[in-house]
Amino acid sequence: MADPGGEEDVMARYRSPLVSRYASAEMGYNFSERKKFSTWRRLWLYLAQAEKSLGLPITDEQIQEMEANLDNIDFKMAAEEEKKLRHDVMAHVHTFAHCCPKAAAIIHLGATSCYVGDNTDLIVLRDGFNLLLPKLARVISRLADFAEKYADMPALGFTHYQPAQLTTVGKRCCLWIQDLCMDLQNLERARDDLRFRGVKGTTGTQASFLQLFEGDHSKVEELDRLVTAKAGFKRAYMVTGQTYSRKVDIGVLSVLASLGASIHKICTDIRLLANLKEIEEPFEKDQIGSSAMPYKRNPMRSERCCSLARHLMTLVMDPLQTASVQWFERTLDDSANRRVCLAEAFLTADIILSTLQNISEGLVVYPKVIERRIRQELPFMATENIIMAMVKAGGNRQDCHEKIRVLSQQAAAVVKQEGGDNDFIARVRADPYFSPIHKQLESLLDPSSFTGRAPQQAAKFLKEEVRPALIPYQSSMGGKIELAL
């Protein structure tokens, strides 16, 4: 038996299914150790370059040595150093210095651990949003195509999950899309609102850098600006403690939790529609729905989205509680928590967006089932139209109302007590009282006359709000996505 602690026995260790089973390689890399520690080195390079440009005695040779070793990371050495020093940043300072002996003296000059730690987190969060946004846009685009195709198809609407007035298949999909468009705007805003922590020192006062530059405040401000620009940010937070405010993390995870709520609602609707046999998610040729019941077509993809979305929605509680207990300039009880919740939020959002894209690219509609359900319920909904038609033909409203009340209750008894079809219209046809409008019954029961402006609303919404919102993402719309395990 392999040694459970050995590197070769991967199956003997817990691995998060978010990475091992579901998430994209790109998002997995974004939260990887390699991305993290290579970014640390780039931040040390940016700092050295900026300090040199502002007059500190740093040579071109030292800069070139750092540039040449940005990705040359000895992870084994770093792990040994951290075990000895009990400090991850200093372990990597020593490891970087080992392969950059000429630059060793100026690596991390004037900085505190949060210079690399917090600034890297902000870079990773920004890059995480940049990975999620095109995926969300693709989902919206696929659903918009679906909504456009079925904008005119009448379907039974539900309120309280009870039959209500008709809508259309496309209009209902637009309700899903509208929520996702809000999420698109929220994610864009959260990304664009991110600022860099910048070069702030141990308690955010920049005292160490003021000392390096011999009291020259303008150079310290310029140093902050230069490093911020090198990292690709337009602005840095003007005031920080040792860390950037942990309220930033609340904002980030709040929009992801909101996205989770949207996707949970959409996939719950799809699951309910699958039970009604009106709409189903894609089902592979060799896919098995149940080990015991071969006929089953379980909505597995939608169930996965709901399952993971619940996890995503709960994660926002972590930064809420963390921000509330950051004493004064900082405490370290944020670190371990943030290692888990920030990564898991983006990985989970990544997974459910990929899965929802797969669902939206293969939704199957069953028009005959939808029509049958309308036929079952529409006769009752048409009673007001029948009354108005009878009044126009010279009938008395109260007499007509009483006739319809009796006939509709008889028809309801057939449906509920005998399990039969709704025969209300047949009863109307058989009653001589309604003979003045017998020829109008077909037109009075045309489903399209009960959908109101649903088709027009869907078309206008897709044209004026949805398609324009997707323009920035046109180049990344790509092809269909294959489902993960």
Side-chain angles (χ1 to χ4, degrees):
M1 180 177 176
D3 174 12
E7 292 182 8
E8 76 284 354
D9 192 6
V10 177
M11 303 308 289
R13 300 181 182 184
Y14 173 78
R15 294 182 299 160
S16 169
L18 294 176
V19 175
S20 66
R21 190 173 177 90
Y22 298 128
S24 67
E26 295 82 5
M27 191 62 79
Y29 174 74
N30 191 50
F31 287 92
S32 69
E33 299 290 271
R34 185 168 295 281
K35 166 79 176 274
K36 174 181 177 180
F37 296 128
S38 64
T39 303
W40 283 12
R41 291 192 174 189
R42 282 171 173 76
L43 287 168
W44 282 320
L45 173 64
Y46 299 155
L47 181 62
Q49 289 172 329
E51 288 174 337
K52 178 180 182 298
S53 71
L54 291 169
L56 292 189
I58 296 172
T59 67
D60 289 337
E61 191 175 23
Q62 288 172 314
I63 296 294
Q64 291 164 6
E65 188 180 52
M66 294 173 73
E67 288 176 327
N69 286 282
L70 292 176
D71 298 305
N72 178 27
I73 303 174
D74 186 338
F75 287 99
K76 185 176 180 180
M77 179 182 178
E80 291 170 352
E81 288 287 335
E82 184 172 355
K83 186 175 182 180
K84 180 174 63 177
L85 301 172
R86 307 298 294 176
H87 197 290
D88 56 350
V89 173
M90 287 309 299
H92 278 269
V93 169
H94 289 190
T95 304
F96 195 20
H98 180 76
C99 58
C100 298
K102 295 174 183 176
I106 55 93
I107 293 173
H108 199 66
L109 183 60
T112 187
S113 298
C114 286
Y115 166 69
V116 288
D118 270 31
N119 283 324
T120 293
D121 286 344
L122 290 161
I123 290 170
V124 168
L125 295 179
R126 178 197 64 192
D127 294 351
F129 278 127
N130 285 335
L131 290 171
L132 291 180
L133 282 163
K135 292 191 173 191
L136 177 52
R138 284 197 294 272
V139 170
I140 293 171
S141 174
R142 305 306 191 264
L143 288 174
D145 293 341
F146 178 86
E148 198 168 65
K149 181 177 179 180
Y150 294 101
D152 297 331
M153 180 180 284
L156 185 64
F158 291 93
T159 58
H160 315 277
Y161 200 38
Q162 301 299 314
Q165 286 189 351
L166 300 192
T167 182
T168 69
V169 172
K171 166 65 189 301
R172 174 179 283 147
C173 184
C174 285
L175 297 178
W176 303 340
I177 294 169
Q178 182 168 248
D179 287 352
L180 293 176
C181 284
M182 293 181 193
D183 293 315
L184 188 73
Q185 293 175 339
N186 289 340
L187 263 65
E188 289 173 339
R189 186 189 68 249
R191 177 199 60 189
D192 295 343
D193 282 349
L194 286 175
R195 301 189 194 185
F196 205 50
R197 176 189 177 273
V199 182
K200 298 297 195 297
T202 55
T203 57
T205 65
Q206 298 178 307
S208 57
F209 297 103
L210 192 62
Q211 185 175 0
L212 279 175
F213 289 104
E214 299 178 345
D216 191 330
H217 290 267
S218 63
K219 285 191 174 182
V220 175
E221 288 189 3
E222 181 64 6
L223 178 70
D224 204 358
R225 190 196 67 77
L226 286 172
V227 175
T228 297
K230 286 177 181 291
F233 285 82
K234 294 179 180 179
R235 297 180 300 169
Y237 295 107
M238 293 186 70
V239 294
T240 72
Q242 189 170 90
T243 69
Y244 67 79
S245 171
R246 294 311 184 216
K247 282 187 71 68
V248 173
D249 296 340
I250 296 173
V252 169
L253 265 65
S254 290
V255 299
L256 298 181
S258 183
L259 171 65
S262 298
I263 294 178
H264 198 295
K265 185 265 192 287
I266 292 167
C267 290
T268 299
D269 282 357
I270 292 171
R271 292 165 66 188
L272 293 169
L273 290 167
N275 173 259
L276 298 174
K277 297 180 174 58
E278 292 191 8
I279 293 178
E280 287 182 342
E281 65 179 38
F283 197 87
E284 307 298 337
K285 178 184 175 184
D286 297 321
Q287 183 175 331
I288 294 174
S290 167
S291 62
M293 295 167 280
Y295 61 86
K296 291 193 75 180
R297 292 170 66 95
N298 299 333
M300 172 269 291
R301 294 161 173 82
S302 298
E303 290 174 316
R304 176 184 298 174
C305 283
C306 289
S307 182
L308 290 171
R310 284 201 300 274
H311 177 60
L312 178 55
M313 287 186 282
T314 64
L315 288 173
V316 72
M317 290 305 300
D318 277 341
L320 281 168
Q321 295 186 65
T322 294
S324 72
V325 296
Q326 288 302 288
W327 305 343
F328 303 113
E329 280 64 50
R330 80 94 40 108
T331 60
L332 194 59
D333 62 340
D334 62 334
S335 179
N337 185 286
R338 294 175 70 254
R339 287 176 192 267
V340 176
C341 70
L342 295 180
E344 288 202 355
F346 278 88
L347 290 165
T348 306
D350 178 73
I351 296 159
I352 59 177
L353 281 173
S354 296
T355 308
L356 185 56
Q357 180 183 336
N358 179 264
I359 293 169
S360 61
E361 288 172 347
L363 285 172
V364 181
V365 177
Y366 296 105
K368 296 299 181 183
V369 178
I370 294 173
E371 290 172 11
R372 183 178 184 276
R373 184 155 284 107
I374 290 174
R375 288 198 303 272
Q376 286 289 311
E377 302 293 342
L378 190 59
F380 293 148
M381 298 177 193
T383 55
E384 185 64 23
N385 288 7
I386 292 173
I387 291 174
M388 297 306 295
M390 281 294 295
V391 170
K392 287 181 181 178
N396 178 281
R397 187 195 182 282
Q398 280 64 39
D399 293 342
C400 183
H401 184 279
E402 178 59 20
K403 284 277 188 180
I404 287 178
R405 186 187 68 81
V406 173
L407 295 181
S408 63
Q409 288 186 2
Q410 291 170 352
V414 171
V415 172
K416 295 179 180 179
Q417 297 174 21
E418 301 175 19
D421 290 336
N422 187 333
D423 63 359
F424 172 72
I425 296 301
R427 293 175 185 273
V428 171
R429 290 186 189 281
D431 192 325
Y433 175 82
F434 293 100
S435 59
I437 63 164
H438 280 170
K439 292 182 179 180
Q440 300 178 44
L441 286 176
E442 287 299 323
S443 61
L444 291 174
L445 291 167
D446 179 7
S448 64
S449 67
F450 288 83
T451 59
R453 297 193 64 253
Q456 291 76 19
Q457 287 177 345
K460 185 178 179 68
F461 171 65
L462 293 171
K463 179 182 178 181
E464 296 185 10
E465 291 197 24
V466 179
R467 300 299 185 187
L470 299 179
I471 290 173
Y473 304 97
Q474 289 301 322
S475 62
S476 59
M477 284 303 170
K480 288 191 173 183
I481 192 168
E482 295 299 321
L483 182 67
L485 288 174

